[in-house]
Amino acid sequence: MKKNLLQKSLKQLTVFAFIVFALSIPSYFLLVDWIWLKELDENNHLTAERIENEFNEQHISEEKLAESITFWNEIQPVSKIESARQPLSQDSLYTIRRQNTYAKKEAIDRFRGLKTNIRINNRNYVLVVETNVEETEETVAYIALVTLGFFLILVIGFWILNRRLSQKLWRPFRDTLQQLKSFQLHSQEKIRFQETDIIEFTELNATLDKLLQHNIATYQSQKEFTENASHELQTPLAVLKNQLDLLLQSADLTEKQYHIAEAMNKALIRSSRINKNLLLLAKIENSQFDHSTLIRFDNLVLHSVDALQAHFKEKNISLHTDIQQEVEVKANAGLAEVLINNLIVNAIRHTAPGCDCTIVLSATGFELSNSGQKALDPDLLFKRFSRMSADNSGSGLGLSIVWEICRLHHWSIKYKFENKQHIFSVQL
Amino acid sequence: MKILVIEDEKELAKSIVEYLAEEQYLCEVAATFREAMDKIDIFNYDCILLDITLPDGNGLKILEELKNDNKQDGVIIISAKHALDDKIKGLQLGADDYLTKPFHLSELTARIYSIIRRKQFNNANIIKQEELEIDLLAKTVTVNNAVLNLTKKEFDLLIYFIGNKNRVLSKSTLAEHLSGDFADMLDNHDFVYAHVKNLKKKLSDAGCAPYIKTIYGTGYIWKGKG
């Protein structure tokens, strides 16, 4: 699935944020728990000191003291004072989970305890102080809840920012893209990119502008080259042809010399044709033809068939036509004529004398079929200078021109061999 | 008959002049736009051969000038461009014909011949050749006042021969002329042979003298008085 750039980065950011937040939960918990226990230990120490001082300040007798401690132990279930013969070698700190004696219902709570030595009336006692600590699960749950909240705020924030960014920040980019989409090389229209203060886009636009300028310049020079090549080649060919014509007229020309001149003439005629066809191809490829005029295709077909009738007769080819009337298409009339002529002439050239040829025109297509012996290679058929038959008097460009004309007009041309028939069909 | 050849390519202009000189045409050459404009201002020509790509200006401007001055000169555009636009524009501006380089001099001569006839005789456009009478507009041929039925191609061929009297016309030249737009792929010389044979037969059947002769084995020539 295709996503836009910001959506992609949003997904990555979200995953990253999720990982960071997830890791932060145990960290926060450990930190909070550590601070919590430290504070409680300090508090327990203070409590122990306070108890010790309170008892010492009473200055009471031994019996009274024992009685007081017993009474104290009774009302302070979380703390305990016991007489000890030997003082503890060191204080002990511990965490236990047990029933909370103050709690009204059954509940196990966590307690932090301190077991330390105190001296009352110069006698050693061991004091146990315990303080309720928040449970681990609860702490984790609260932290996780808050973290999730922040995570959601972050993601929603990203999403909103993203939308605003993609609308604002990417506007010049989208503008450039739109300009490029509508750009057509042969339309001669210059592209003007929107000014932007973003370095990357300015750079992109400058690079694109350079590229386009180069393309336009290349296209222009290519077009000029076509015209120049045409002029430069046609003129010497014309000189050659005319000089040969003059040579043919000289009074003292021998028959042998005539045949040499005629052979040259033939070669010259062919090279002029190849040259003309190459130029035509180049011009079609450069889209130098306007093909948006509505033309009557049927008239063109009828005209060509009429003009070539004599050639069909001469080769004794029986021609069958089924031409629908008033077939209108958007095309270049000159090129459409070339297409029709080339296909028909091709059929005449390659149909054996006495065989059949069929021309069908409907509103959607133009189809031409002629008898043949075996199928031709459709990959080579429309290639330049790839001749299918031993007969090489043609320019070798006729079908390439047909192909290019179809491409220019967005028509599709297909070749198939069925029932001993070569079938060329053009989908108009 | 005066013809102005506006062509910057010297060799080409020279060969055209040399070929046309034998037809009793008086040829003048203008190699530049300015030269051409100067000549057109002063003289009248029966036919102007106009190369539209000149070193110092577009030949189509000369056409416009001729049209503005209401001159009756016949104009044949000769161009190396083979651009459809130029052809259409040229014909719209009043050119009578359009030839793409390279062309055969015999083709050019035949076209000049038709244009001059058309311009000079306006509607009564009839060529007389001894017992032969050709109406260029009605496209009919009569031999000793009897109508001769010719196909379009045969009529075309006849005009070509008449326009190139006493000239050697090679088979390939005729083939190129006859196949016209289809020359690209039809290179059938038997086609020429068949048409010439038919024309010859029809003419002789109608009692016409054998003007068309075979020369050098494969070429043809129309032998007749100028």
Side-chain angles (χ1 to χ4, degrees):
Chain A
M1 201 178 78
K2 295 256 190 293
K3 288 183 192 136
N4 73 36
L5 194 66
L6 282 172
Q7 267 178 358
K8 255 192 177 159
S9 63
L10 179 66
K11 197 185 156 194
Q12 305 264 328
L13 281 172
T14 309
V15 170
F16 181 69
F18 182 78
I19 293 169
V20 169
F21 277 98
L23 284 174
S24 77
I25 296 171
S27 315
Y28 278 132
F29 164 72
L30 288 173
L31 188 70
V32 168
D33 207 47
W34 179 72
I35 294 170
W36 189 235
L37 291 181
K38 222 179 126 209
E39 285 299 314
L40 284 182
D41 285 345
E42 211 171 299
N43 186 48
N44 283 349
H45 272 291
L46 287 175
T47 312
E49 258 173 58
R50 187 174 46 86
I51 291 166
E52 190 180 21
N53 286 340
E54 277 171 359
F55 273 104
N56 280 331
E57 277 163 15
Q58 298 297 319
H59 303 291
I60 46 172
S61 63
E62 293 292 315
E63 291 108 59
K64 199 98 189 260
L65 180 68
E67 211 174 288
S68 293
I69 287 173
T70 317
F71 177 68
W72 192 86
N73 279 344
E74 257 169 49
I75 59 162
Q76 299 269 0
V78 288
S79 309
K80 216 171 11 178
I81 301 172
E82 280 170 350
S83 64
R85 280 204 195 116
Q86 291 289 323
L88 291 169
S89 54
Q90 61 178 55
D91 293 353
S92 92
L93 294 165
Y94 63 91
T95 309
I96 60 157
R97 299 169 60 80
R98 61 167 171 77
Q99 176 66 39
N100 188 349
T101 38
Y102 290 128
K104 288 188 180 79
K105 7 175 221 183
E106 194 88 349
I108 301 288
D109 276 331
R110 194 159 71 115
F111 289 87
R112 181 68 176 172
L114 171 70
K115 210 172 182 183
T116 186
N117 297 311
I118 48 170
R119 284 181 71 84
I120 306 169
N121 291 353
N122 288 324
R123 289 183 63 172
N124 285 326
Y125 290 90
V126 172
L127 171 68
V128 177
V129 188
E130 285 181 354
T131 317
N132 191 328
V133 198
E134 196 57 46
E135 260 119 316
T136 325
E137 300 85 26
E138 279 170 37
T139 317
V140 171
Y142 288 136
I143 290 176
L145 206 67
V146 173
T147 309
L148 187 74
F150 274 107
F151 175 72
L152 284 178
I153 291 170
L154 193 74
V155 170
I156 292 169
F158 270 165
W159 188 69
I160 293 170
L161 274 175
N162 224 349
R163 278 181 58 116
R164 290 183 55 185
L165 276 180
S166 73
Q167 268 165 13
K168 257 195 197 156
L169 228 99
W170 288 89
R171 191 177 294 148
F173 179 79
R174 272 200 300 269
D175 175 71
T176 301
L177 199 67
Q178 200 53 45
Q179 294 249 34
L180 283 180
K181 271 185 192 163
S182 59
F183 176 70
Q184 278 178 318
L185 197 52
H186 62 262
S187 72
Q188 306 289 326
E189 249 174 69
K190 283 227 170 135
I191 275 199
R192 293 223 53 85
F193 292 119
Q194 214 176 63
E195 290 282 328
T196 160
D197 56 355
I198 299 165
I199 295 173
E200 285 86 348
F201 291 152
T202 314
E203 236 169 82
L204 176 75
N205 286 353
T207 314
L208 280 174
D209 197 52
K210 213 171 125 193
L211 194 71
L212 287 174
Q213 292 301 339
H214 180 72
N215 268 339
I216 291 169
T218 311
Y219 181 73
Q220 283 290 357
S221 71
Q222 194 185 3
K223 275 206 326 201
E224 276 162 27
F225 176 79
T226 309
E227 290 213 9
N228 292 346
S230 142
H231 194 258
E232 295 306 318
L233 266 174
Q234 302 284 59
T235 307
L237 280 173
V239 172
L240 263 175
K241 223 172 182 175
N242 293 2
Q243 296 294 339
L244 262 177
D245 285 340
L246 283 174
L247 184 65
L248 283 180
Q249 305 310 325
S250 41
D252 50 359
L253 191 73
T254 66
E255 186 163 340
K256 201 177 161 197
Q257 286 166 340
Y258 169 84
H259 285 297
I260 293 171
E262 173 69 341
M264 287 163 73
N265 202 6
K266 268 189 204 167
L268 202 55
I269 289 170
R270 236 187 100 200
S271 48
S272 336
R273 267 184 223 161
I274 293 174
N275 189 41
K276 271 185 194 171
N277 280 338
L278 276 175
L279 291 173
L280 180 63
L281 264 180
K283 282 186 179 181
I284 302 169
E285 276 174 353
N286 292 344
S287 307
Q288 290 182 25
F289 290 99
D290 170 53
H291 52 89
S292 56
T293 325
L294 209 57
I295 58 159
R296 283 281 300 272
F297 206 82
D298 51 326
N299 285 349
L300 291 179
V301 175
L302 285 173
H303 182 260
S304 292
V305 168
D306 188 46
L308 285 160
Q309 202 83 45
H311 293 274
F312 278 109
K313 250 186 221 149
E314 201 228 344
K315 267 192 110 174
N316 202 17
I317 301 168
S318 33
L319 175 67
H320 314 280
T321 54
D322 177 13
I323 293 159
Q324 190 181 316
Q325 284 187 339
E326 294 189 24
V327 176
E328 282 191 323
V329 286
K330 268 192 182 166
N332 179 290
L335 291 181
E337 205 181 334
V338 170
L339 173 109
I340 297 164
N341 286 344
N342 283 9
L343 281 176
I344 299 180
V345 167
N346 193 53
I348 297 173
R349 273 166 63 101
H350 299 291
T351 308
C355 289
D356 296 283
C357 182
T358 313
I359 296 170
V360 180
L361 176 71
S362 68
T364 54
F366 175 59
E367 195 175 275
L368 208 136
S369 47
N370 64 306
S371 331
Q373 286 309 310
K374 60 176 196 316
L376 302 167
D377 184 349
D379 290 335
L380 289 176
L381 202 52
F382 298 103
K383 278 235 173 84
R384 281 159 209 207
F385 303 118
S386 63
R387 292 198 172 79
M388 293 286 141
S389 66
D391 167 21
N392 64 351
S393 57
S395 69
L397 292 168
L399 287 179
S400 316
I401 291 174
V402 168
W403 177 268
E404 283 298 333
I405 293 174
C406 286
R407 202 180 56 89
L408 178 77
H409 289 90
H410 305 296
W411 298 337
S412 75
I413 177 152
K414 283 199 184 77
Y415 165 79
K416 59 187 176 204
F417 188 73
E418 276 171 9
N419 304 325
K420 297 228 159 195
Q421 294 270 319
H422 298 292
I423 302 168
F424 287 90
S425 52
V426 179
Q427 217 71 41
L428 298 177
Chain B
M1 306 274 177
K2 267 172 69 182
I3 294 177
L4 177 64
V5 181
I6 304 171
E7 167 65 66
D8 59 319
E9 193 68 31
K10 281 203 179 77
E11 280 300 321
L12 208 58
K14 218 176 100 189
S15 60
I16 292 172
V17 171
E18 198 179 329
Y19 200 91
L20 293 179
E22 284 176 38
E23 301 281 338
Q24 314 302 320
Y25 291 125
L26 201 69
C27 290
E28 279 184 40
V29 178
T32 60
F33 181 80
R34 289 200 53 162
E35 219 178 305
M37 292 299 268
D38 288 348
K39 289 202 154 125
I40 285 165
D41 279 344
I42 306 167
F43 306 109
N44 282 319
Y45 295 92
D46 296 292
C47 187
I48 295 171
L49 306 181
L50 175 62
D51 183 352
I52 49 175
T53 43
L54 291 168
D56 55 341
N58 190 332
L60 290 174
K61 282 246 171 71
I62 297 178
L63 256 183
E64 280 173 35
E65 193 67 23
L66 281 170
K67 206 181 176 189
N68 291 342
D69 290 356
N70 249 329
K71 294 220 175 184
Q72 293 298 308
D73 316 32
V75 177
I76 299 177
I77 292 175
I78 42 179
S79 161
K81 273 193 171 170
H82 194 65
L84 287 166
D85 299 348
D86 279 348
K87 183 171 181 173
I88 294 164
K89 213 167 165 191
L91 294 178
Q92 274 172 351
L93 281 172
D96 297 276
D97 214 337
Y98 187 98
L99 256 180
T100 315
K101 283 183 196 170
F103 50 81
H104 282 294
L105 289 172
S106 47
E107 183 72 48
L108 178 67
T109 319
R111 299 211 187 180
I112 292 173
Y113 184 84
S114 307
I115 283 173
I116 290 180
R117 291 297 168 290
R118 209 155 66 207
K119 294 271 168 191
Q120 280 185 340
F121 303 106
N122 288 327
N123 288 330
N125 208 339
I126 290 170
I127 300 166
K128 279 196 181 168
Q129 167 75 38
E130 314 276 335
E131 65 272 36
L132 205 59
E133 237 183 63
I134 304 164
D135 188 332
L136 281 179
L137 277 177
K139 302 213 167 180
T140 54
V141 182
T142 54
V143 179
N144 296 324
N145 296 320
V147 175
L148 184 65
N149 274 324
L150 293 181
T151 63
K152 226 162 100 187
K153 287 261 182 244
E154 284 158 2
F155 182 83
D156 191 15
L157 208 52
L158 180 64
I159 301 296
Y160 199 75
F161 271 120
I162 302 260
N164 283 286
K165 253 177 257 166
N166 300 316
R167 298 275 195 189
V168 176
L169 296 174
S170 74
K171 220 179 199 178
S172 52
T173 311
L174 283 176
E176 213 187 4
H177 171 73
L178 278 181
S179 36
D181 286 345
F182 314 113
D184 282 356
M185 289 215 261
L186 283 173
D187 214 343
N188 194 342
H189 292 191
D190 294 338
F191 186 67
V192 175
Y193 177 74
H195 279 286
V196 175
K197 204 178 95 183
N198 288 344
L199 179 63
K200 270 166 101 172
K201 192 167 179 297
K202 280 186 183 174
L203 286 172
S204 73
D205 283 355
C208 199
Y211 297 109
I212 303 173
K213 302 226 190 288
T214 307
I215 190 165
Y216 303 128
T218 61
Y220 298 98
I221 190 163
W222 179 282
K223 289 272 189 196
K225 283 184 206 155

